[in-house]
Amino acid sequence: MAATTSTTAFAVSRHPSSAHPGSSQPSLPLSLKTLPKARLSLRHRVSSSTSSPHGRLLPISATASGELFPSSPHSDANDLFPLFDDKPREECGVVGIIGDPEASRLCCLALHALQHRGQEGAGIAASDSTNLRAVTGLGLVSEVFSLAKLDSLPGSAAIGHVRYSTAGAASSPMNVQPFLAGYRFGQLAVAHNGNLVNYAALRADLEASGSIFNTSSDTEVLLHLIATSTSRPLLSRIVEACCAIEGAYSLVFLTAGKLFAVRDPHGFRPLVMGRLRRPSRAVVFASETCALDLIGADYEREVQPGEVLVVDGHDLSVTSLCLLPHKPRKACIFEHIYFALPHSVVFGRPVHDSRYSFGAALAAESPAPSADVVIPVPDSGFFAALGFAERSGIPFQQGLIRSHYVGRTFIQPTQEIRDLGVKLKLAPIRGILEGKSVVVVDDSIVRGTTSSKIVRLIKDAGAREVHMRIASPPIVGSCYYGVDTPRAEELISNRMDVEGVRKEIGCDSLAFLSLESLRKLLGDEAPTFCDACFSGNYPVPPREHEVVKVMEE
């Protein structure tokens, strides 16, 4: 990067663990400079580390199997029946815990609660107040971690990560986080939920300055920015690095004695703070409140957009730091439409309430008066369908049963066998559907491939009519802030109008919740949500991607 210098102001307050999170004392001004050009070297990952005597960054992590490049059984290309691949994917979930002797075990449990946010890989890095150790691997949390592996992660602090990939090859074990690195001031681990829109430019500048990258993940840029910074202490290095990156990021950092939690100034991705009800009163950070619930932690508050929280492992005191200048919040609305679990509270709103209200508004806006029954597409369509049914007065039934036990395989099936896969993942209840006019409520349509299979499945079960109702507006643009969506030209609503989509998927009628209604339901908070995938209005310009709008062309 260029050796220009800028100064960033921010306020720092420190309060003990017993104080309310909102309490503060006089602020301490800190002056931060942008990083100068510097050289650093990256080497292969190993299972443990010490600091480099030369002040260079050494990424350190081990896959769960101990192999450097094990094969992955979880590539989407190997899914025999990829029915639900036609959905946007939240690329990851993060957890941080400090102050409990069973931190790695609690972290593992919390990752189980966040498994819906990423299923390609999982990892935990733990600190015993002297050294950091990490275990990462491809697969589900239950596949990566055994009791023996958790025993290899002692200490009272840990961070964890589950991932789908947005930047970085999905099947590479080198891209599985947390990333654990040694540099001239010690060890540092990081886990990241989000996506950096200026990653390529930053990486090019760092490589031109001599940096050697070990992964294809955008998160590694953060470690290089921190390692090459001349600021002190580490807090200033982290803030400086965050001022250099653009896009979406909810981050947890771990050192030998401290845990850092950071959220980008727009607050695209969620990050919450809580405390265990156990005697330790350990501090916990997580992508969703469902993770706090599972491990017995009380929700305290969100990490605010632009905020950095630092928890000291010795006394669990918390330092709150707010990045300036302040930027408008742009929380991802798709967390409430699809990503988050319904029993989570995200961006201060209960997710199940949001989905119910979306469905009820859809019923008022696009009724199906001749229908006999309303059914959801499981599982994310459940509460929207319930809202639609209750608002319209049409009976609600569970007409499709989803199997949660269909695994993946290396078998290369014929197309005929692949087409039968929908019946393995979704089983229709003929007694509910046969001879009926059916309203099918789903959360979204992306490419349209899943919807067309579901319509055909329901009609094959004897339904007289199928009316699709979608509890979100048409998706016309890709997401560049940490969601794995197809290119814009692959989005069916980018290529076709509603009638064209209806014909393509084969239903008798089709309606989406309008963007106007969605914003009305959000009330005064509507401007604080990002709806770029529906509106094309990107809060942070995706300048490293071409935003394609086929319909306008």
mmCIF file of all heavy atoms in Angstrom, residues 162-206:
data_model
loop_
_atom_site.group_PDB
_atom_site.id
_atom_site.type_symbol
_atom_site.label_atom_id
_atom_site.label_comp_id
_atom_site.label_asym_id
_atom_site.label_seq_id
_atom_site.Cartn_x
_atom_site.Cartn_y
_atom_site.Cartn_z
ATOM 1 N N VAL A 162 -17.172 -21.521 11.684
ATOM 2 C CA VAL A 162 -17.710 -22.439 10.696
ATOM 3 C C VAL A 162 -17.856 -21.657 9.407
ATOM 4 O O VAL A 162 -18.146 -20.460 9.426
ATOM 5 C CB VAL A 162 -19.070 -23.035 11.115
ATOM 6 C CG1 VAL A 162 -18.905 -24.001 12.269
ATOM 7 C CG2 VAL A 162 -20.082 -21.949 11.469
ATOM 8 N N ARG A 163 -17.661 -22.346 8.254
ATOM 9 C CA ARG A 163 -17.594 -21.577 7.019
ATOM 10 C C ARG A 163 -18.302 -22.241 5.852
ATOM 11 O O ARG A 163 -18.365 -23.459 5.729
ATOM 12 C CB ARG A 163 -16.129 -21.336 6.632
ATOM 13 C CG ARG A 163 -15.469 -22.497 5.873
ATOM 14 C CD ARG A 163 -13.993 -22.228 5.614
ATOM 15 N NE ARG A 163 -13.740 -21.101 4.747
ATOM 16 C CZ ARG A 163 -13.469 -21.194 3.445
ATOM 17 N NH1 ARG A 163 -13.474 -22.360 2.851
ATOM 18 N NH2 ARG A 163 -13.214 -20.125 2.727
ATOM 19 N N TYR A 164 -18.874 -21.376 5.028
ATOM 20 C CA TYR A 164 -19.011 -21.548 3.600
ATOM 21 C C TYR A 164 -18.039 -20.556 2.997
ATOM 22 O O TYR A 164 -17.743 -19.529 3.611
ATOM 23 C CB TYR A 164 -20.417 -21.205 3.110
ATOM 24 C CG TYR A 164 -21.446 -22.274 3.287
ATOM 25 C CD1 TYR A 164 -22.665 -21.983 3.899
ATOM 26 C CD2 TYR A 164 -21.242 -23.562 2.820
ATOM 27 C CE1 TYR A 164 -23.646 -22.949 4.046
ATOM 28 C CE2 TYR A 164 -22.214 -24.531 2.966
ATOM 29 C CZ TYR A 164 -23.415 -24.224 3.579
ATOM 30 O OH TYR A 164 -24.377 -25.182 3.723
ATOM 31 N N SER A 165 -17.567 -20.790 1.814
ATOM 32 C CA SER A 165 -16.593 -19.874 1.238
ATOM 33 C C SER A 165 -17.288 -18.822 0.394
ATOM 34 O O SER A 165 -18.237 -19.111 -0.331
ATOM 35 C CB SER A 165 -15.588 -20.626 0.371
ATOM 36 O OG SER A 165 -16.237 -21.248 -0.711
ATOM 37 N N THR A 166 -16.803 -17.570 0.503
ATOM 38 C CA THR A 166 -17.159 -16.538 -0.462
ATOM 39 C C THR A 166 -15.897 -16.064 -1.157
ATOM 40 O O THR A 166 -15.871 -15.894 -2.354
ATOM 41 C CB THR A 166 -17.854 -15.342 0.210
ATOM 42 O OG1 THR A 166 -17.063 -14.884 1.290
ATOM 43 C CG2 THR A 166 -19.213 -15.727 0.707
ATOM 44 N N ALA A 167 -14.830 -15.823 -0.391
ATOM 45 C CA ALA A 167 -13.532 -15.520 -0.983
ATOM 46 C C ALA A 167 -12.579 -16.606 -0.514
ATOM 47 O O ALA A 167 -12.336 -16.755 0.673
ATOM 48 C CB ALA A 167 -13.031 -14.140 -0.543
ATOM 49 N N GLY A 168 -12.025 -17.355 -1.430
ATOM 50 C CA GLY A 168 -11.141 -18.464 -1.075
ATOM 51 C C GLY A 168 -11.752 -19.781 -1.490
ATOM 52 O O GLY A 168 -12.951 -19.988 -1.414
ATOM 53 N N ALA A 169 -10.892 -20.679 -1.973
ATOM 54 C CA ALA A 169 -11.383 -21.959 -2.467
ATOM 55 C C ALA A 169 -12.078 -22.729 -1.363
ATOM 56 O O ALA A 169 -11.573 -22.874 -0.259
ATOM 57 C CB ALA A 169 -10.217 -22.778 -3.025
ATOM 58 N N ALA A 170 -13.270 -23.248 -1.678
ATOM 59 C CA ALA A 170 -14.084 -23.896 -0.667
ATOM 60 C C ALA A 170 -13.428 -25.142 -0.111
ATOM 61 O O ALA A 170 -13.516 -25.425 1.079
ATOM 62 C CB ALA A 170 -15.445 -24.249 -1.260
ATOM 63 N N SER A 171 -12.757 -25.914 -0.957
ATOM 64 C CA SER A 171 -12.302 -27.236 -0.548
ATOM 65 C C SER A 171 -10.878 -27.262 -0.023
ATOM 66 O O SER A 171 -10.344 -28.325 0.256
ATOM 67 C CB SER A 171 -12.419 -28.209 -1.729
ATOM 68 O OG SER A 171 -11.617 -27.762 -2.809
ATOM 69 N N SER A 172 -10.222 -26.120 0.098
ATOM 70 C CA SER A 172 -8.843 -26.097 0.571
ATOM 71 C C SER A 172 -8.791 -26.036 2.092
ATOM 72 O O SER A 172 -9.338 -25.118 2.696
ATOM 73 C CB SER A 172 -8.102 -24.886 0.006
ATOM 74 O OG SER A 172 -6.820 -24.780 0.608
ATOM 75 N N PRO A 173 -8.115 -26.990 2.728
ATOM 76 C CA PRO A 173 -8.003 -26.932 4.191
ATOM 77 C C PRO A 173 -7.212 -25.726 4.661
ATOM 78 O O PRO A 173 -7.362 -25.308 5.806
ATOM 79 C CB PRO A 173 -7.292 -28.247 4.538
ATOM 80 C CG PRO A 173 -6.570 -28.627 3.300
ATOM 81 C CD PRO A 173 -7.412 -28.166 2.158
ATOM 82 N N MET A 174 -6.398 -25.149 3.800
ATOM 83 C CA MET A 174 -5.619 -23.977 4.187
ATOM 84 C C MET A 174 -6.505 -22.752 4.419
ATOM 85 O O MET A 174 -6.096 -21.804 5.075
ATOM 86 C CB MET A 174 -4.582 -23.658 3.104
ATOM 87 C CG MET A 174 -3.597 -24.785 2.843
ATOM 88 S SD MET A 174 -2.609 -25.189 4.291
ATOM 89 C CE MET A 174 -1.523 -23.780 4.352
ATOM 90 N N ASN A 175 -7.714 -22.775 3.868
ATOM 91 C CA ASN A 175 -8.614 -21.637 4.007
ATOM 92 C C ASN A 175 -9.559 -21.752 5.193
ATOM 93 O O ASN A 175 -10.367 -20.856 5.431
ATOM 94 C CB ASN A 175 -9.446 -21.469 2.734
ATOM 95 C CG ASN A 175 -8.620 -20.933 1.580
ATOM 96 O OD1 ASN A 175 -7.724 -20.121 1.774
ATOM 97 N ND2 ASN A 175 -8.905 -21.403 0.375
ATOM 98 N N VAL A 176 -9.487 -22.852 5.938
ATOM 99 C CA VAL A 176 -10.380 -23.035 7.082
ATOM 100 C C VAL A 176 -9.860 -22.233 8.273
ATOM 101 O O VAL A 176 -8.686 -22.329 8.636
ATOM 102 C CB VAL A 176 -10.520 -24.521 7.443
ATOM 103 C CG1 VAL A 176 -11.469 -24.694 8.631
ATOM 104 C CG2 VAL A 176 -11.036 -25.317 6.244
ATOM 105 N N GLN A 177 -10.713 -21.454 8.859
ATOM 106 C CA GLN A 177 -10.345 -20.611 9.997
ATOM 107 C C GLN A 177 -10.728 -21.291 11.319
ATOM 108 O O GLN A 177 -11.472 -22.272 11.300
ATOM 109 C CB GLN A 177 -11.051 -19.258 9.858
ATOM 110 C CG GLN A 177 -10.703 -18.507 8.593
ATOM 111 C CD GLN A 177 -11.436 -17.188 8.463
ATOM 112 O OE1 GLN A 177 -11.719 -16.504 9.454
ATOM 113 N NE2 GLN A 177 -11.772 -16.817 7.240
ATOM 114 N N PRO A 178 -10.230 -20.722 12.429
ATOM 115 C CA PRO A 178 -9.431 -19.517 12.598
ATOM 116 C C PRO A 178 -8.017 -19.663 12.017
ATOM 117 O O PRO A 178 -7.448 -20.744 12.023
ATOM 118 C CB PRO A 178 -9.349 -19.336 14.126
ATOM 119 C CG PRO A 178 -10.456 -20.156 14.678
ATOM 120 C CD PRO A 178 -10.615 -21.298 13.741
ATOM 121 N N PHE A 179 -7.493 -18.533 11.514
ATOM 122 C CA PHE A 179 -6.096 -18.476 11.125
ATOM 123 C C PHE A 179 -5.281 -18.136 12.369
ATOM 124 O O PHE A 179 -5.613 -17.201 13.108
ATOM 125 C CB PHE A 179 -5.860 -17.403 10.066
ATOM 126 C CG PHE A 179 -6.466 -17.731 8.735
ATOM 127 C CD1 PHE A 179 -6.788 -16.724 7.840
ATOM 128 C CD2 PHE A 179 -6.724 -19.040 8.355
ATOM 129 C CE1 PHE A 179 -7.336 -17.002 6.605
ATOM 130 C CE2 PHE A 179 -7.272 -19.349 7.122
ATOM 131 C CZ PHE A 179 -7.583 -18.321 6.241
ATOM 132 N N LEU A 180 -4.232 -18.892 12.596
ATOM 133 C CA LEU A 180 -3.345 -18.688 13.746
ATOM 134 C C LEU A 180 -1.967 -18.353 13.230
ATOM 135 O O LEU A 180 -1.406 -19.089 12.413
ATOM 136 C CB LEU A 180 -3.312 -19.944 14.616
ATOM 137 C CG LEU A 180 -2.309 -19.995 15.772
ATOM 138 C CD1 LEU A 180 -2.502 -18.812 16.711
ATOM 139 C CD2 LEU A 180 -2.471 -21.300 16.527
ATOM 140 N N ALA A 181 -1.416 -17.238 13.676
ATOM 141 C CA ALA A 181 -0.144 -16.754 13.141
ATOM 142 C C ALA A 181 0.779 -16.301 14.259
ATOM 143 O O ALA A 181 0.323 -15.848 15.308
ATOM 144 C CB ALA A 181 -0.386 -15.603 12.167
ATOM 145 N N GLY A 182 2.073 -16.439 13.990
ATOM 146 C CA GLY A 182 3.078 -15.881 14.883
ATOM 147 C C GLY A 182 3.774 -14.729 14.178
ATOM 148 O O GLY A 182 4.125 -14.834 13.007
ATOM 149 N N TYR A 183 3.937 -13.613 14.865
ATOM 150 C CA TYR A 183 4.681 -12.494 14.297
ATOM 151 C C TYR A 183 5.548 -11.906 15.398
ATOM 152 O O TYR A 183 5.671 -12.490 16.477
ATOM 153 C CB TYR A 183 3.733 -11.471 13.662
ATOM 154 C CG TYR A 183 2.961 -10.580 14.612
ATOM 155 C CD1 TYR A 183 3.021 -9.197 14.509
ATOM 156 C CD2 TYR A 183 2.145 -11.119 15.619
ATOM 157 C CE1 TYR A 183 2.305 -8.370 15.367
ATOM 158 C CE2 TYR A 183 1.431 -10.297 16.474
ATOM 159 C CZ TYR A 183 1.515 -8.936 16.344
ATOM 160 O OH TYR A 183 0.821 -8.116 17.195
ATOM 161 N N ARG A 184 6.198 -10.787 15.135
ATOM 162 C CA ARG A 184 7.276 -10.328 16.020
ATOM 163 C C ARG A 184 6.822 -10.007 17.436
ATOM 164 O O ARG A 184 7.645 -9.970 18.345
ATOM 165 C CB ARG A 184 7.980 -9.110 15.415
ATOM 166 C CG ARG A 184 7.049 -7.967 15.071
ATOM 167 C CD ARG A 184 7.798 -6.827 14.407
ATOM 168 N NE ARG A 184 6.882 -5.854 13.819
ATOM 169 C CZ ARG A 184 7.276 -4.676 13.376
ATOM 170 N NH1 ARG A 184 8.537 -4.309 13.467
ATOM 171 N NH2 ARG A 184 6.389 -3.852 12.832
ATOM 172 N N PHE A 185 5.514 -9.776 17.645
ATOM 173 C CA PHE A 185 5.039 -9.448 18.986
ATOM 174 C C PHE A 185 4.256 -10.592 19.640
ATOM 175 O O PHE A 185 3.656 -10.395 20.682
ATOM 176 C CB PHE A 185 4.173 -8.182 18.950
ATOM 177 C CG PHE A 185 4.933 -6.955 18.519
ATOM 178 C CD1 PHE A 185 4.623 -6.317 17.331
ATOM 179 C CD2 PHE A 185 5.974 -6.465 19.288
ATOM 180 C CE1 PHE A 185 5.320 -5.195 16.922
ATOM 181 C CE2 PHE A 185 6.679 -5.339 18.879
ATOM 182 C CZ PHE A 185 6.359 -4.702 17.697
ATOM 183 N N GLY A 186 4.267 -11.765 19.036
ATOM 184 C CA GLY A 186 3.589 -12.891 19.656
ATOM 185 C C GLY A 186 2.693 -13.633 18.688
ATOM 186 O O GLY A 186 2.923 -13.629 17.479
ATOM 187 N N GLN A 187 1.675 -14.275 19.225
ATOM 188 C CA GLN A 187 0.745 -15.053 18.430
ATOM 189 C C GLN A 187 -0.608 -14.346 18.340
ATOM 190 O O GLN A 187 -1.014 -13.635 19.264
ATOM 191 C CB GLN A 187 0.532 -16.438 19.052
ATOM 192 C CG GLN A 187 1.750 -17.334 19.018
ATOM 193 C CD GLN A 187 1.461 -18.629 19.747
ATOM 194 O OE1 GLN A 187 1.521 -18.680 20.967
ATOM 195 N NE2 GLN A 187 1.128 -19.665 19.008
ATOM 196 N N LEU A 188 -1.289 -14.585 17.237
ATOM 197 C CA LEU A 188 -2.583 -13.958 17.005
ATOM 198 C C LEU A 188 -3.434 -14.911 16.178
ATOM 199 O O LEU A 188 -2.982 -15.451 15.166
ATOM 200 C CB LEU A 188 -2.416 -12.633 16.254
ATOM 201 C CG LEU A 188 -3.699 -11.855 15.908
ATOM 202 C CD1 LEU A 188 -4.382 -11.364 17.179
ATOM 203 C CD2 LEU A 188 -3.375 -10.690 14.981
ATOM 204 N N ALA A 189 -4.679 -15.113 16.608
ATOM 205 C CA ALA A 189 -5.643 -15.909 15.848
ATOM 206 C C ALA A 189 -6.819 -15.020 15.469
ATOM 207 O O ALA A 189 -7.190 -14.108 16.222
ATOM 208 C CB ALA A 189 -6.132 -17.104 16.666
ATOM 209 N N VAL A 190 -7.418 -15.293 14.307
ATOM 210 C CA VAL A 190 -8.536 -14.481 13.836
ATOM 211 C C VAL A 190 -9.576 -15.374 13.174
ATOM 212 O O VAL A 190 -9.235 -16.364 12.509
ATOM 213 C CB VAL A 190 -8.065 -13.386 12.849
ATOM 214 C CG1 VAL A 190 -7.403 -14.003 11.619
ATOM 215 C CG2 VAL A 190 -9.224 -12.469 12.426
ATOM 216 N N ALA A 191 -10.853 -15.035 13.361
ATOM 217 C CA ALA A 191 -11.969 -15.657 12.658
ATOM 218 C C ALA A 191 -12.861 -14.536 12.126
ATOM 219 O O ALA A 191 -13.119 -13.551 12.827
ATOM 220 C CB ALA A 191 -12.764 -16.578 13.579
ATOM 221 N N HIS A 192 -13.346 -14.705 10.906
ATOM 222 C CA HIS A 192 -13.978 -13.608 10.165
ATOM 223 C C HIS A 192 -15.297 -14.069 9.560
ATOM 224 O O HIS A 192 -15.358 -15.108 8.902
ATOM 225 C CB HIS A 192 -12.997 -13.167 9.052
ATOM 226 C CG HIS A 192 -13.574 -12.191 8.058
ATOM 227 N ND1 HIS A 192 -13.105 -12.097 6.761
ATOM 228 C CD2 HIS A 192 -14.565 -11.270 8.151
ATOM 229 C CE1 HIS A 192 -13.771 -11.165 6.111
ATOM 230 N NE2 HIS A 192 -14.664 -10.649 6.931
ATOM 231 N N ASN A 193 -16.334 -13.290 9.762
ATOM 232 C CA ASN A 193 -17.609 -13.476 9.080
ATOM 233 C C ASN A 193 -17.846 -12.249 8.220
ATOM 234 O O ASN A 193 -17.982 -11.142 8.737
ATOM 235 C CB ASN A 193 -18.741 -13.638 10.104
ATOM 236 C CG ASN A 193 -20.112 -13.713 9.454
ATOM 237 O OD1 ASN A 193 -20.223 -14.049 8.287
ATOM 238 N ND2 ASN A 193 -21.148 -13.396 10.206
ATOM 239 N N GLY A 194 -17.876 -12.438 6.908
ATOM 240 C CA GLY A 194 -18.089 -11.313 6.012
ATOM 241 C C GLY A 194 -17.308 -11.471 4.730
ATOM 242 O O GLY A 194 -16.865 -12.558 4.369
ATOM 243 N N ASN A 195 -17.109 -10.352 4.034
ATOM 244 C CA ASN A 195 -16.379 -10.368 2.773
ATOM 245 C C ASN A 195 -15.820 -8.973 2.527
ATOM 246 O O ASN A 195 -16.520 -7.980 2.719
ATOM 247 C CB ASN A 195 -17.300 -10.776 1.620
ATOM 248 C CG ASN A 195 -16.532 -11.250 0.404
ATOM 249 O OD1 ASN A 195 -15.718 -12.168 0.488
ATOM 250 N ND2 ASN A 195 -16.779 -10.633 -0.737
ATOM 251 N N LEU A 196 -14.568 -8.904 2.117
ATOM 252 C CA LEU A 196 -13.891 -7.628 1.901
ATOM 253 C C LEU A 196 -13.941 -7.269 0.426
ATOM 254 O O LEU A 196 -13.414 -8.007 -0.420
ATOM 255 C CB LEU A 196 -12.444 -7.700 2.382
ATOM 256 C CG LEU A 196 -12.243 -8.203 3.818
ATOM 257 C CD1 LEU A 196 -10.757 -8.188 4.191
ATOM 258 C CD2 LEU A 196 -13.050 -7.375 4.808
ATOM 259 N N VAL A 197 -14.536 -6.135 0.102
ATOM 260 C CA VAL A 197 -14.703 -5.781 -1.306
ATOM 261 C C VAL A 197 -13.422 -5.235 -1.921
ATOM 262 O O VAL A 197 -13.291 -5.209 -3.145
ATOM 263 C CB VAL A 197 -15.849 -4.760 -1.495
ATOM 264 C CG1 VAL A 197 -17.169 -5.340 -1.002
ATOM 265 C CG2 VAL A 197 -15.550 -3.437 -0.805
ATOM 266 N N ASN A 198 -12.455 -4.804 -1.106
ATOM 267 C CA ASN A 198 -11.184 -4.316 -1.643
ATOM 268 C C ASN A 198 -10.040 -5.288 -1.382
ATOM 269 O O ASN A 198 -8.880 -4.905 -1.354
ATOM 270 C CB ASN A 198 -10.853 -2.936 -1.078
ATOM 271 C CG ASN A 198 -10.639 -2.942 0.432
ATOM 272 O OD1 ASN A 198 -11.138 -3.842 1.125
ATOM 273 N ND2 ASN A 198 -9.926 -1.953 0.943
ATOM 274 N N TYR A 199 -10.395 -6.566 -1.199
ATOM 275 C CA TYR A 199 -9.392 -7.593 -0.901
ATOM 276 C C TYR A 199 -8.322 -7.692 -1.983
ATOM 277 O O TYR A 199 -7.121 -7.732 -1.704
ATOM 278 C CB TYR A 199 -10.101 -8.927 -0.705
ATOM 279 C CG TYR A 199 -9.259 -10.147 -0.954
ATOM 280 C CD1 TYR A 199 -8.212 -10.484 -0.103
ATOM 281 C CD2 TYR A 199 -9.504 -10.972 -2.053
ATOM 282 C CE1 TYR A 199 -7.442 -11.608 -0.326
ATOM 283 C CE2 TYR A 199 -8.737 -12.107 -2.276
ATOM 284 C CZ TYR A 199 -7.709 -12.422 -1.417
ATOM 285 O OH TYR A 199 -6.942 -13.531 -1.640
ATOM 286 N N ALA A 200 -8.748 -7.745 -3.258
ATOM 287 C CA ALA A 200 -7.781 -7.952 -4.336
ATOM 288 C C ALA A 200 -6.774 -6.807 -4.411
ATOM 289 O O ALA A 200 -5.575 -7.024 -4.608
ATOM 290 C CB ALA A 200 -8.507 -8.127 -5.670
ATOM 291 N N ALA A 201 -7.257 -5.575 -4.251
ATOM 292 C CA ALA A 201 -6.351 -4.425 -4.306
ATOM 293 C C ALA A 201 -5.362 -4.441 -3.141
ATOM 294 O O ALA A 201 -4.168 -4.173 -3.314
ATOM 295 C CB ALA A 201 -7.156 -3.130 -4.306
ATOM 296 N N LEU A 202 -5.866 -4.745 -1.931
ATOM 297 C CA LEU A 202 -4.981 -4.808 -0.768
ATOM 298 C C LEU A 202 -3.948 -5.912 -0.929
ATOM 299 O O LEU A 202 -2.759 -5.719 -0.639
ATOM 300 C CB LEU A 202 -5.809 -5.040 0.493
ATOM 301 C CG LEU A 202 -6.673 -3.878 0.980
ATOM 302 C CD1 LEU A 202 -7.542 -4.327 2.152
ATOM 303 C CD2 LEU A 202 -5.814 -2.684 1.381
ATOM 304 N N ARG A 203 -4.382 -7.064 -1.395
ATOM 305 C CA ARG A 203 -3.448 -8.180 -1.568
ATOM 306 C C ARG A 203 -2.381 -7.829 -2.601
ATOM 307 O O ARG A 203 -1.196 -8.130 -2.407
ATOM 308 C CB ARG A 203 -4.200 -9.446 -1.978
ATOM 309 C CG ARG A 203 -3.271 -10.613 -2.263
ATOM 310 C CD ARG A 203 -3.992 -11.927 -2.296
ATOM 311 N NE ARG A 203 -3.060 -13.014 -2.621
ATOM 312 C CZ ARG A 203 -3.259 -14.287 -2.342
ATOM 313 N NH1 ARG A 203 -4.370 -14.665 -1.723
ATOM 314 N NH2 ARG A 203 -2.373 -15.200 -2.678
ATOM 315 N N ALA A 204 -2.782 -7.196 -3.700
ATOM 316 C CA ALA A 204 -1.816 -6.819 -4.727
ATOM 317 C C ALA A 204 -0.768 -5.859 -4.173
ATOM 318 O O ALA A 204 0.432 -5.988 -4.454
ATOM 319 C CB ALA A 204 -2.541 -6.198 -5.919
ATOM 320 N N ASP A 205 -1.215 -4.873 -3.377
ATOM 321 C CA ASP A 205 -0.272 -3.934 -2.771
ATOM 322 C C ASP A 205 0.678 -4.647 -1.819
ATOM 323 O O ASP A 205 1.890 -4.377 -1.806
ATOM 324 C CB ASP A 205 -1.027 -2.839 -2.018
ATOM 325 C CG ASP A 205 -1.690 -1.828 -2.939
ATOM 326 O OD1 ASP A 205 -1.318 -1.792 -4.125
ATOM 327 O OD2 ASP A 205 -2.570 -1.085 -2.471
ATOM 328 N N LEU A 206 0.150 -5.548 -1.008
ATOM 329 C CA LEU A 206 0.991 -6.259 -0.049
ATOM 330 C C LEU A 206 1.981 -7.183 -0.752
ATOM 331 O O LEU A 206 3.149 -7.264 -0.368
ATOM 332 C CB LEU A 206 0.114 -7.057 0.912
ATOM 333 C CG LEU A 206 -0.669 -6.227 1.938
ATOM 334 C CD1 LEU A 206 -1.819 -7.040 2.534
ATOM 335 C CD2 LEU A 206 0.261 -5.730 3.041
#
